Amino acid sequence: EDYPKAEDAFTRLVKEYPRTKYLDSTQKHRFEIAQYWVQYNQVAPASFASLNLSDNKRPLNDTGGNGRRVLEKMRLDDPTGVLADDVTMAIANEAFQRGDFETAAETYEDLRLAYPDSKHQFEAHFLELKCCLEVYQGPEYSSEPIDRAEKLLKQITKQFTKQAGERSEYLNEAYAEVRFEQAQRRWLQAEYRRKRGENKSARMYLQEILDGYADTPFGEQAQERLAGLEGLPDDPTQHLVWLTRLFPDSDPV
């Protein structure tokens, strides 16, 4: 049970004999050690500077970091092995537990795409959805996380009917949140364009709300705003027309 020395020996074995017949059993032992270190650190976290001088099962310091390092090394050493998806899931879960939702989301996505037959597929979808909602910072920032969450919701309900039913309460709340955020983004864009006199663009965003998100709180507001824009010019009044005529549209300046 001298895990640091055992892990070092297993690592050297894989490095020096990459086609060893013991690869599967070696990876199994490395996985057990890494999981032990990661879980120990979650129960009893310690600073990087804290030294372990009494427990042979743990490294000298940074127990959790060493656990992550072993998992990442395993992933590189044997990306198609029998434990590859388990290792990827463990890396993602560890990042999720630490609150590193961006890393977790990317790793869950890697698992979804690289291991379509994995037993972790539903959990990877579900937890990636949670990560996307955590990462999203609001309408002033990138829409990528909320767009991704919307796609994941559709995939989960279509691909995992049974599991989706068991998690229906959370999924329904997530669905409502995603639709609210998507409608809010379009509403703010419509208001921005309207205030600039860009009524054509404003109408486009308002119509998107009515077409796709009419059941949100922004649906009724969009209907009223669209009616108020009726008859208004598509574009704002252009001032200094004589100056703009000096520079034709085809002029690169």
Side-chain angles (χ1 to χ4, degrees):
E1 294 187 329
D2 191 337
Y3 290 168
K5 288 185 179 179
E7 198 283 317
D8 181 62
F10 287 133
T11 298
R12 286 188 287 109
L13 172 64
V14 174
K15 181 178 179 180
E16 295 174 18
Y17 307 96
R19 297 187 179 182
T20 175
K21 63 182 179 180
Y22 302 111
L23 181 60
D24 286 348
S25 59
T26 295
Q27 292 291 80
K28 178 177 179 292
H29 290 311
R30 293 172 82 191
F31 187 58
E32 290 170 349
I33 292 171
Q35 286 284 73
Y36 177 79
W37 287 348
V38 166
Q39 291 168 7
Y40 186 97
N41 187 67
Q42 290 172 351
V43 174
S47 68
F48 182 86
S50 299
L51 299 181
N52 165 45
L53 302 175
S54 59
D55 186 356
N56 285 340
K57 289 185 177 181
R58 295 187 288 121
L60 181 64
N61 69 333
D62 194 18
T63 302
N66 277 283
R68 291 194 299 274
R69 175 187 58 78
V70 175
L71 291 171
E72 292 285 0
K73 192 70 170 62
M74 289 180 64
R75 197 178 179 199
L76 294 174
D77 289 341
D78 193 21
T80 59
V82 294
L83 289 177
D85 63 324
D86 296 313
V87 171
T88 304
M89 191 68 179
I91 293 171
N93 287 343
E94 192 276 337
F96 187 93
Q97 289 291 332
R98 283 189 292 112
D100 185 355
F101 298 113
E102 289 189 21
T103 298
E106 295 304 317
T107 311
Y108 287 129
E109 182 181 37
D110 287 345
L111 188 148
R112 289 194 298 106
L113 299 179
Y115 309 104
D117 297 326
S118 170
K119 60 182 178 293
H120 302 297
Q121 274 290 323
F122 171 73
E123 286 299 321
H125 278 78
F126 185 77
L127 293 174
E128 184 183 345
L129 168 63
K130 282 191 169 185
C131 289
C132 290
L133 295 177
E134 290 286 346
V135 169
Y136 182 63
Q137 295 179 286
E140 297 85 6
Y141 298 88
S142 171
S143 67
E144 193 275 335
I146 205 71
D147 292 340
R148 191 162 152 191
E150 189 170 33
K151 292 179 182 177
L152 284 165
L153 277 166
K154 292 177 181 178
Q155 290 177 1
I156 289 172
T157 54
K158 182 179 180 180
Q159 189 174 344
F160 306 99
T161 308
K162 179 181 177 182
Q163 296 95 323
E166 295 169 353
R167 309 283 182 94
S168 60
E169 183 177 355
Y170 176 83
L171 292 174
N172 288 336
E173 291 176 358
Y175 179 73
E177 180 180 350
V178 166
R179 290 179 60 75
F180 178 88
E181 296 293 351
Q182 291 284 31
Q184 184 183 46
R185 294 186 70 88
R186 287 159 175 77
W187 172 257
L188 293 178
Q189 280 291 335
E191 285 294 275
Y192 174 74
R193 300 297 180 182
R194 182 185 65 83
K195 290 175 182 178
R196 288 170 55 91
E198 300 172 1
N199 297 314
K200 182 178 181 180
S201 295
R203 292 189 194 98
M204 180 191 73
Y205 285 110
L206 293 169
Q207 192 60 52
E208 285 185 10
I209 294 174
L210 294 176
D211 290 343
Y213 307 95
D215 57 332
T216 68
F218 298 97
E220 186 175 345
Q221 297 178 60
Q223 186 70 57
E224 293 174 359
R225 186 71 80 217
L226 201 58
L229 292 176
E230 189 174 349
L232 294 180
D234 289 346
D235 300 305
T237 303
Q238 192 173 52
H239 302 287
L240 300 177
V241 177
W242 61 270
L243 182 59
T244 60
R245 288 173 180 168
L246 295 177
F247 301 96
D249 293 341
S250 59
D251 192 312
V253 175

